[in-house]
Amino acid sequence: MEKYQILVKKGSLGMIVEDWLLHSECDLRIRNAKTKGCRVVELTDPLYAARIVKWLQAAEKVNIVKS
């Protein structure tokens, strides 16, 4: 199973959560990042991860973790 970790600016977080509530059925986890002013959004759905990166254009950095 792959987990997608997306680094986003704190200001973009509200837009992501609102879109997730309307369009997605995957689990979403938000945690603090080491980078100042940013948060990490963790999810397992590759399609919704691509939506955040491509359509919402909120990603600063993406990390894919295989477990």
Side-chain angles (χ1 to χ4, degrees):
M1 176 182 262
E2 294 179 337
K3 182 175 16 173
Y4 302 90
Q5 299 174 331
I6 304 171
L7 183 71
V8 297
K9 296 271 186 190
K10 192 175 178 182
S12 301
L13 198 56
M15 175 181 61
I16 292 171
V17 171
E18 184 177 341
D19 185 70
W20 173 75
L21 286 170
L22 295 173
H23 297 107
S24 183
E25 296 179 9
C26 70
D27 291 335
L28 185 77
R29 180 178 175 203
I30 300 170
R31 62 178 179 83
N32 289 330
K34 291 180 182 177
T35 306
K36 187 175 181 174
C38 292
R39 300 292 183 259
V40 175
V41 176
E42 293 182 349
L43 55 134
T44 56
D45 183 7
L47 295 176
Y48 194 68
R51 179 180 175 88
I52 292 173
V53 173
K54 186 173 183 175
W55 299 111
L56 299 181
Q57 297 178 349
E60 297 291 316
K61 198 173 193 183
V62 179
N63 187 30
I64 302 172
V65 179
K66 294 184 179 184
S67 55

